[in-house]
Amino acid sequence: MGEKVVAGPFDLSDRQRYREKLRMCLTGLERLLVEKRFDRPKNLMGVEIELNLAGSDGMPRMLNGQVLERIASRDFQTELAMFNLEVNIAPHRLGGRVFDRLAEELRTSLAYADRKAQEVDAGIVMIGILPTLERDDLVSANLSEVDRYTLLNDQIVAARGEDFVVDIEGVEHLTCTSKSIVPEAACTSLQLHLQVTPARFADVWNAAQAACAAQIAVGANSPFLFGHELWRESRPPLFLQSTDTRPPELQAQGVRPRTWFGERWISSAYELFEENLRFFPALLPICDEENPLAVLDAGGVPKLAELVLHNGTVYRWNRPVYGIADGVPHLRVENRVLPAGPTIADVIANAAFYYGLVRALAEESRPVWTRLPFETAAANFDAACRYGIDARFVWPRRGRYSGTAEVDAISLVRDELLPLAAAGLDAWGVESADRDLYLGIIEERCRRRTNGASWQAATFHRALEQGMSRPAALAATTRRYRELMTLGEPVHTWPVGLPEPVPLG
């Protein structure tokens, strides 16, 4: 959503006018596509990471306003709740040693942010869901003090008309209710942007959808919520349920949730924006003064403000993005499936795997989406979220054989997808040293069957075996996680368990 969203109460005419403006924006987008007004290929990628604030005790700290004031950098912004921050890295051109440069920029930025957070007894924790969060932490009083979050919360609550229900059955079963969307703030993610031309958009989006399951399998890092061990990547079900505007009756009718995987492969970016208008009522019917069609008639580039705002309230795991840079419109695929963390090396490895794999899958002569039913891709994503690195997928057979077969995630990634990712990075012009270093981290996770989620779960259970209570074990796991995160070695090298106490004397 836009950084500056300010409005009072909405009335009936606001929604009617907004719907008209959305249709005008969609027509404007169609004209831009027909007239080939979009930016030429630049191979640009961008990274955003959502972060948590926690104290030296491992517990969340509701201090993002104070921390941001101390950081005083436009690279860092608020997120939904007071224990959240977001860091944005400027776009980079894919190629050369881009991943090493990204890693260095992130190390510098996060180390500085962490030093500033420590001035108020807080620290940065880069993790999918902070294990020590309690239900009392995720209430409206802890929304960030920014108009757009309060407004969005009020509109989603009004649309639903009753309490939100969180019901996730994994290793353990969690059921609870919330009067606000704030539980969504527990989900902190890594967002990977890729600028693409309109002609390539559909292939890249389809490839990203197919790649989702493998990304989650090797990158899962969110096994705990409210003291319960749930799915290996619990963010997707939590995000879906905590933003669900549908009461049970509409769910039973098959009305689509605002957080969703999708329902079909596409042939153009236009289809996704058109689906948004057709399926999803406006949450924030705020109209801009611009007439996008008049701007186009005058030879200008329209902001398409209503379309952009509406798109920001539909939470696709691979989201289309319309933007303008230096007066020229462009399209991006925003990949939102991955959790944050565990370390900067792991984040960059996840990024390298994604950008390489998507490039290779998008350019295959027999694309995977022509051989894999969309429902199967969605089921693979669900399996990856539930089971992480131990998931099993259904995937097209290799070679001349037709049809699909069941395969475990590790074998698929190691034997088929990592070589594709390497070829994709070569096609981007990434240097072999970067390619081998960061894809090697993914390969080692497969070899050791370890990712952030499996380390968290194993360390938590080791603490329980040592006689700790569940809350103490979760806090100790979080403290140890932060310690190892700060040291920076990839998660597959982390020793399971808590360090032995140093004897006194």
Side-chain angles (χ1 to χ4, degrees), residues 40 106 169 176 211 224 241 251 272 285 292-293 334 350 373 398 503:
R40 292 184 295 277
L106 277 172
E169 188 161 7
C176 63
F224 297 109
Q241 294 175 20
Q251 294 179 35
L272 296 177
L293 301 184
E334 180 190 15
N350 288 340
R398 281 193 286 180

Side-chain angles (χ1 to χ4, degrees), residues 89-149:
I89 298 299
H92 283 62
R93 191 179 298 274
L94 272 161
R97 298 299 300 271
V98 63
F99 294 113
D100 258 0
R101 291 200 308 276
L102 274 172
E104 188 55 38
E105 284 182 36
L106 277 172
R107 272 191 287 270
T108 302
S109 293
L110 293 186
Y112 173 71
D114 194 60
R115 286 196 303 274
K116 292 300 179 182
Q118 287 181 39
E119 293 176 7
V120 290
D121 187 29
I124 301 293
V125 183
M126 192 165 53
I127 195 169
I129 296 176
L130 194 65
T132 49
L133 282 169
E134 303 277 355
R135 288 176 59 183
D136 289 346
D137 296 318
L138 295 170
V139 293
S140 298
N142 287 332
L143 274 172
S144 290
E145 295 177 353
V146 179
D147 286 342
R148 71 183 187 275
Y149 298 130

Side-chain angles (χ1 to χ4, degrees), residues 438-449:
Y438 292 109
L439 293 187
I441 290 173
I442 304 295
E443 187 173 16
E444 280 299 298
R445 285 190 215 153
C446 291
R447 190 175 72 83
R448 303 188 193 199
R449 302 187 76 93

Side-chain angles (χ1 to χ4, degrees), residues 202-204 206-207 210 265-266 358-373 395-397 416 420:
D203 287 349
V204 171
N206 290 338
W265 306 115
I266 64 164
V358 162
R359 172 78 185 249
L361 290 177
E363 294 183 350
E364 282 190 311
S365 57
R366 290 182 63 215
V368 63
W369 58 91
T370 65
R371 299 176 286 139
L372 185 71
W395 196 256
R397 291 188 177 93
E416 187 169 344
L420 281 173

